């Protein structure tokens, strides 16, 4: 590929950890590829987008830092480079397709003489316009001498095992967008209810317990694999069982395809909907006992979890056939080779973001992972980030694990107080510098239902029994796996509350915003381990005393800052919404917290960027949401402003559309706000 002279102000391009300096490599033309990177000087206006479209540019993805991945069939780059709003244009180079971590692994194998002898599972992800993936698979097989019959091909990817020395041969095909290492997913192993202030109750109303809500659980399996013959804690609570990992095993009965050898899935289910039963360890039950579950078994015959081809297929049947709107996932990828943090991946994270974007009433909840200690064995004493892969998806709610007040008379078991983070719980931010986890919940020493399967893992010495139901058990488990179902149950309760407030099909972004805005920020702990704080169901419920407002903001009187929510209109590029919040009647000792959430398009960078700001128009003091209150955020689709102490006069909440990708017309959003006492470390209810 011949070089041209780069502009004097050209910037280096970093994609997937690979850096190219235009002063050293700057393509003369696009004869060898239809994919280019256009770097613009500022966020594109609609007029500038039309100009590029008229020059045969097809927008594909915002790569961040004003870099746009585009398809461009003409070979001459001059018409694009001559535009006054374009800084530079270069081709999408093959080296971008092999992430730096894979390149480092290949170099390590090369030094050991294993580059051409050891095969690794790799996902070949294709560009958006590629439709004949089967033909690409044929070509990849020829280029790499990999057995074509051993490849797994879907509509947007190819999975194969290949020596890393052959990656460049695959990357040379213009239909290929990125190569990704395949990581085998794993399970991520009523004191907790009291810590999060459950059950929920509004003033002068009865308690909410998840009535008429269906939650889909993706996990190892369920008890003995039967809806009727189940642990007494689940009688009448299971709407369906779905076999995924053992679905094609013809030697197993239907029950054997969904039963739970490990006990993990049964424990998770009990945390959500388990009937409250008096046991030898006290009253044990789920957080939303009136809800129902649909359980998908991911466990394969050998005990591992299946690595699904397309993650959205896990959710579509529960969503369509069972009306599930909350999806609880206590599993995920661990660390990559060399204990490295995994990025937002172009298979599962993209699939999650697309599913939520296409089904905005679906709340997908994922465990943050238990990778913190493993990650930091690389450098003892450090706290390097470890969240990635599925948990890095922008549109899901990611949950870390905090401690518990439960103590067990067992010298083998540690104790972690409720206002601390479990040491294994994966830390943020993501590799993309996004805030994750979103929230934390108790995930330590959680008692819940134990599978009745003979092979159920003996996870700890601590167990509970019941005189009323002899022969069944409850077991103790810890990890983000067991914080996640707690949050899933809270989401079901909040959904029930919203439906009672004439919001019949609440957007998932609203549930996410209310959970985040109601969370208690644990004192002395930074954002990396806890995100926006530990879930507080009562605080979240208090924001729903009045129904959500659906408005453009125009003509609204000042709204009470004590608590409320708004379902905002779609904003076009450059548009904004403003609402006014009245000061609290007695602001002393309070802080004002405002949270904005929206479902972004899939992609590692933010594609449609909305920004939150809270403004005192009398003094012009402005606090921005996101990573810094002093500047706009370009990395997060969840932004929060905390104004402490609470303002004593009216403030304006502003949401503005800073950029909208390509031909996308607008981006919707939600707001949640409340003026409350900041959490000081006491686990007593606050006014």
């Amino acid at each position: 590929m011949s070089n041209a002279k780069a502009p004097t102000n050209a910037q280096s391009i970093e994609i997937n950890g690979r850096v190219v300096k235009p002063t050293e490599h700057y393509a003369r033309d696009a004869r060898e590829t239809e994919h280019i990177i256009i770097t613009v000087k500022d966020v594109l206006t609609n007029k500038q987008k039309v100009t590029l479209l008229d020059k045969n540019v097809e927008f594909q993805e915002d790569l961040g830092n004003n870099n746009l991945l585009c398809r461009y069939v003409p070979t001459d780059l001059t018409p694009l480079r001559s535009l006054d709003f374009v800084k530079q244009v270069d081709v999408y180079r093959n080296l971008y397709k092999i992430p730096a971590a894979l390149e480092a692994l290949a170099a390590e194998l090369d030094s050991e003489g294993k580059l051409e002898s050891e095969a690794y599972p790799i996902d070949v992800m294709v560009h958006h316009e590629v439709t004949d993936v089967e033909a690409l698979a044929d070509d990849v097989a020829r280029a790499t001498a990999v057995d074509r019959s051993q490849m797994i091909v879907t509509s947007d990817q190819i999975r194969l095992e290949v020596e890393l020395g052959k990656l460049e041969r695959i990357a040379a095909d213009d239909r290929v967008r990125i190569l990704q290492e395949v990581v085998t997913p794993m399970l991520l192993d009523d004191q907790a209810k009291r810590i999060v202030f459950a059950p929920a109750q509004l003033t002068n109303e009865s308690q909410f317990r998840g009535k008429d809500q269906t939650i889909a659980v993706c996990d190892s399996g369920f008890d003995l694999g039967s809806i009727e013959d189940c642990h007494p804690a689940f009688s009448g609570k299971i709407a369906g069982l779905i076999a995924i990992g053992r679905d094609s095993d013809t030697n197993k009965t239907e029950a054997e395809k969904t039963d739970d050898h490990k006990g993990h899935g049964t424990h998770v289910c009990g945390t959500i909907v388990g009937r409250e039963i008096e046991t030898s360890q006290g009253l044990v039950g789920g957080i939303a006992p009136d809800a129902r579950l649909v359980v998908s078994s991911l466990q394969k015959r050998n005990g591992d979890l299946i690595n699904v081809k397309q993650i959205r297929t896990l959710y579509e049947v529960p969503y369509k056939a069972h009306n599930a709107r909350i999806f609880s996932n206590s599993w995920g990828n661990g660390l990559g080779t060399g204990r490295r943090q995994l990025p937002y991946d172009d298979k599962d994270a993209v699939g999650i973001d697309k599913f939520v974007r296409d089904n905005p009433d679906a709340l997908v909840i994922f465990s943050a992972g238990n990778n913190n200690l493993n990650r930091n064995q690389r450098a003892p004493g450090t706290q390097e980030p470890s969240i990635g892969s599925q948990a890095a998806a922008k549109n899901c709610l990611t949950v870390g694990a905090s401690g518990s007040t439960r103590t067990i008379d067992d010298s083998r078991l540690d104790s972690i107080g409720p206002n601390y983070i479990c040491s294994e719980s994966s830390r943020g931010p993501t590799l993309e510098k996004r805030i994750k986890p979103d929230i934390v919940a108790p995930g330590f020493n959680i008692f819940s239902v134990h599978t009745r399967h003979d092979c159920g893992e003996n996870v700890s010495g601590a167990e509970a029994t019941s005189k009323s139901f002899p022969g069944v058990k409850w077991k103790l488990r810890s990890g983000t796996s067991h914080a996640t179902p707690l949050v899933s149950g809270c989401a079901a309760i909040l959904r029930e509350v919203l439906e009672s407030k004439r919001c019949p099909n609440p957007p998932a972004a609203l549930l996410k915003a209310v959970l985040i805005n109601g969370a208690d920020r644990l004192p002395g702990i930074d954002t990396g381990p806890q995100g926006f704080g530990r879930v507080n169901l009562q605080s979240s419920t208090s924001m729903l005393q009045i129904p959500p407002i659906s408005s453009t903001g125009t003509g609204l009187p000042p709204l009470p800052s004590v608590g409320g929510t708004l379902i905002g209109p779609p904003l076009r590029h450059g548009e904004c919404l403003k609402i006014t919040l009245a000061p609290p009647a007695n602001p002393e000792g309070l802080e004002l917290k405002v949270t904005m959430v929206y479902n972004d398009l899939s992609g590692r960078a933010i594609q449609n960027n909305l920004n939150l700001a809270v403004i005192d128009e009398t003094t012009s003091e402005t606090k921005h949401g996101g990573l810094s209150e002093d500047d706009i955020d370009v990395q997060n689709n969840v932004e929060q402003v905390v104004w402490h102490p609470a303002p004593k006069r009216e403030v304006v909440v502003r949401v503005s559309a800073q950029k909208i990708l390509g031909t996308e017309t607008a981006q919707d959003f939600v707001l949640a706000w409340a003026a409350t006492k900041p959490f000081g470390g006491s686990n007593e209810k606050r006014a």
Side-chain angles (χ1 to χ4, degrees):
M1 184 179 297
S2 58
N3 280 337
K5 184 178 180 180
T8 55
N9 63 342
Q11 66 185 48
S12 295
I13 305 296
E14 180 177 355
I15 300 173
N16 301 322
R18 309 299 298 273
V19 179
V20 171
K21 297 180 179 179
T23 53
E24 299 174 1
H25 303 283
Y26 195 62
R28 185 173 301 280
D29 52 48
R31 294 176 186 273
E32 298 178 23
T33 179
E34 293 182 353
H35 301 95
I36 62 174
I37 298 173
I38 300 176
T39 304
V40 294
K41 297 176 181 177
D42 203 349
V43 176
L44 292 176
T45 65
N46 287 332
K47 183 178 179 181
Q48 291 167 343
K49 292 176 188 177
V50 171
T51 298
L52 289 171
L53 291 172
D54 288 343
K55 294 185 180 297
N56 301 303
V57 169
E58 300 174 23
F59 297 104
Q60 292 199 333
E61 184 178 340
D62 189 325
L63 300 173
N65 201 25
N66 288 335
N67 296 312
L68 302 172
L69 174 60
C70 304
R71 187 180 182 217
Y72 182 68
V73 176
T75 61
D76 187 5
L77 299 175
T78 306
L80 305 181
R81 288 172 170 169
S82 62
L83 296 171
D84 60 2
F85 58 85
V86 171
K87 177 182 281 189
Q88 66 200 57
V89 181
D90 196 20
V91 295
Y92 185 70
R93 296 176 178 272
N94 294 342
L95 69 83
Y96 293 139
K97 304 176 186 180
I98 305 175
L102 264 183
E103 178 69 14
L105 177 58
E108 181 180 332
L109 291 175
D110 191 26
S111 68
E112 299 172 358
K114 300 177 181 178
L115 187 61
E116 300 292 343
S117 60
E118 290 193 9
Y120 282 78
I122 297 293
D123 278 336
V124 180
M125 312 301 296
V126 302
H127 283 289
H128 297 322
E129 78 280 358
V130 177
T131 56
D132 193 350
V133 185
E134 295 284 352
L136 174 60
D138 293 339
D139 292 341
V140 169
R142 283 190 288 270
T144 60
V146 171
D147 186 346
R148 175 67 171 81
S149 66
Q150 298 302 307
M151 293 182 179
I152 301 173
V153 182
T154 66
S155 62
D156 58 1
Q157 73 177 64
I158 303 165
R159 177 165 295 172
L160 73 160
E161 290 196 5
V162 65
E163 297 83 1
L164 298 192
K166 298 177 180 178
L167 295 185
E168 290 184 1
R169 303 183 199 176
I170 304 174
D173 195 299
D174 195 40
R175 292 167 289 183
V176 173
R177 181 163 55 91
I178 186 174
L179 307 179
Q180 292 187 159
E181 176 188 5
V182 176
V183 180
T184 301
M186 63 182 69
L187 299 170
L188 304 172
D189 270 348
D190 296 354
Q191 301 279 331
K193 289 199 286 184
R194 285 202 285 271
I195 294 171
V196 301
F197 302 111
Q201 187 168 1
L202 293 174
T203 305
N204 300 322
E205 296 188 35
S206 59
Q207 291 183 349
F208 292 89
R209 294 159 54 93
K211 183 180 179 182
D212 297 328
Q213 305 304 312
T214 301
I215 302 164
V217 173
C218 297
D219 215 285
S220 56
F222 174 74
D223 198 31
L224 299 181
S226 170
I227 293 175
E228 294 80 18
D229 179 16
C230 59
H231 191 292
F234 295 115
S235 297
K237 298 179 183 294
I238 308 301
L241 300 175
I242 302 171
I244 304 292
R246 290 164 279 172
D247 183 42
S248 59
D249 195 334
T250 57
N251 296 321
K252 292 188 178 295
T253 65
E254 291 305 307
E256 289 172 335
K257 292 179 180 180
T258 56
D259 61 8
D260 187 12
H261 298 189
K262 294 181 175 293
H264 189 279
T266 306
H267 193 282
V268 163
C269 293
T271 302
I272 303 175
V273 301
R275 171 184 172 186
E276 293 182 325
I277 295 176
E278 192 64 46
T279 74
S280 56
Q281 293 285 351
L283 191 66
V284 178
I287 194 165
D290 289 352
R292 303 189 78 203
L293 299 182
V294 178
V295 186
S296 296
S297 172
L298 306 183
Q299 185 175 317
K300 298 190 294 186
R301 186 177 184 178
N302 66 359
D304 292 340
L305 296 193
I306 189 170
N307 201 321
V308 293
K309 298 177 185 177
Q310 292 182 308
I311 196 168
R312 69 178 298 133
T313 60
L314 292 181
Y315 310 135
E316 286 175 336
V317 172
Y319 182 89
K320 294 175 181 177
H322 297 280
N323 203 35
R325 293 297 181 267
I326 297 167
F327 300 83
S328 188
N329 299 268
S330 291
W331 61 276
N333 293 345
L335 297 173
T337 304
R339 294 198 180 102
R340 60 181 176 81
Q341 182 183 17
L342 291 173
Y344 173 106
D345 74 294
D346 287 75
K347 185 175 80 72
D348 286 352
V350 163
I352 293 165
D353 284 347
K354 284 183 176 179
F355 177 77
V356 175
R357 178 88 179 182
D358 293 342
N359 303 281
D361 56 351
L363 179 63
V364 176
I365 305 175
F366 253 94
S367 298
N370 302 321
N371 300 318
N372 182 56
L373 294 182
N374 286 336
R375 166 71 170 156
N376 290 296
Q377 285 178 8
R378 292 160 46 101
T382 65
Q383 291 293 321
E384 295 185 20
S386 48
I387 283 181
S389 208
Q390 299 92 349
K394 293 178 286 188
N395 298 340
C396 78
L397 180 69
T398 304
V399 181
S402 57
S404 170
T405 55
R406 185 183 292 280
T407 56
I408 303 296
D409 187 16
D410 189 330
S411 60
R412 295 169 296 176
L413 300 175
D414 294 329
S415 176
I416 300 177
N419 299 333
Y420 295 90
I421 302 298
C422 293
S423 56
E424 296 87 353
S425 185
S426 292
R427 267 68 167 162
T430 69
L431 271 175
E432 299 73 35
K433 306 305 179 187
R434 196 164 294 121
I435 296 173
K436 290 284 182 176
D438 295 294
I439 53 177
V440 297
F444 182 77
N445 281 359
I446 305 298
F447 259 115
S448 187
V449 182
H450 187 57
T451 182
R452 295 176 300 148
H453 197 286
D454 292 339
C455 298
E457 291 181 347
N458 185 19
V459 293
S460 77
E463 65 180 35
T465 57
S466 172
K467 294 179 180 178
S468 301
F469 300 98
V472 300
K473 295 179 180 179
W474 291 254
K475 282 277 191 177
L476 196 72
R477 286 181 180 257
S478 297
T480 58
S481 275
H482 310 292
T484 299
L486 195 71
V487 174
S488 298
C490 289
I493 289 172
L494 292 171
R495 201 169 190 280
E496 179 191 6
V497 173
L498 282 163
E499 289 181 340
S500 76
K501 295 294 182 179
R502 303 187 303 280
C503 186
N505 196 33
L510 182 59
L511 297 176
K512 185 174 176 180
V514 169
L515 281 163
I516 289 172
N517 203 70
D520 292 327
R521 190 173 292 274
L522 300 179
I525 299 174
D526 63 22
T527 302
Q530 68 169 320
F532 294 98
R534 186 185 63 208
V535 66
N536 182 327
L537 183 57
Q538 192 57 52
S539 289
S540 293
T541 306
S542 296
M543 283 175 265
L544 305 177
Q545 292 279 2
I546 59 174
I549 299 166
S550 294
S551 174
T552 61
T554 304
L556 282 178
L559 301 170
S561 59
V562 65
T565 57
L566 179 140
I567 301 174
L571 297 180
R572 297 176 181 273
H573 175 80
E575 291 182 339
C576 71
L577 171 140
K578 293 182 180 181
I579 61 171
T580 301
L581 298 182
N586 298 296
E588 296 300 324
L590 302 183
E591 66 181 11
L592 174 65
K593 195 158 42 167
V594 183
T595 301
M596 174 195 70
V597 175
Y598 63 94
N599 294 326
D600 192 26
L601 293 164
S602 62
R604 295 191 182 193
I606 291 295
Q607 306 298 298
N608 295 339
N609 191 43
L610 303 187
N611 292 125
L612 170 69
V614 180
I615 307 159
D616 182 337
E617 293 194 327
T618 302
T619 64
S620 298
E621 182 178 2
T622 300
K623 295 183 183 292
H624 294 279
L627 299 176
S628 168
E629 67 178 28
D630 298 322
D631 200 1
I632 66 170
D633 189 301
V634 296
Q635 294 152 316
N636 290 282
N637 59 324
V638 176
E639 295 188 14
Q640 185 177 89
V641 170
V642 179
W643 199 306
H644 181 84
K648 296 181 179 180
R649 51 179 165 256
E650 291 181 354
V651 292
V652 171
V653 177
R654 183 187 68 201
V655 177
S656 53
Q658 186 251 354
K659 71 169 182 179
I660 303 295
L661 175 69
T663 56
E664 285 290 312
T665 56
Q667 175 66 58
D668 55 5
F669 66 95
V670 301
L671 289 172
W673 64 86
T676 58
K677 292 181 180 178
F679 181 66
S682 170
N683 291 298
E684 298 296 324
K685 286 189 178 180
R686 308 185 303 287

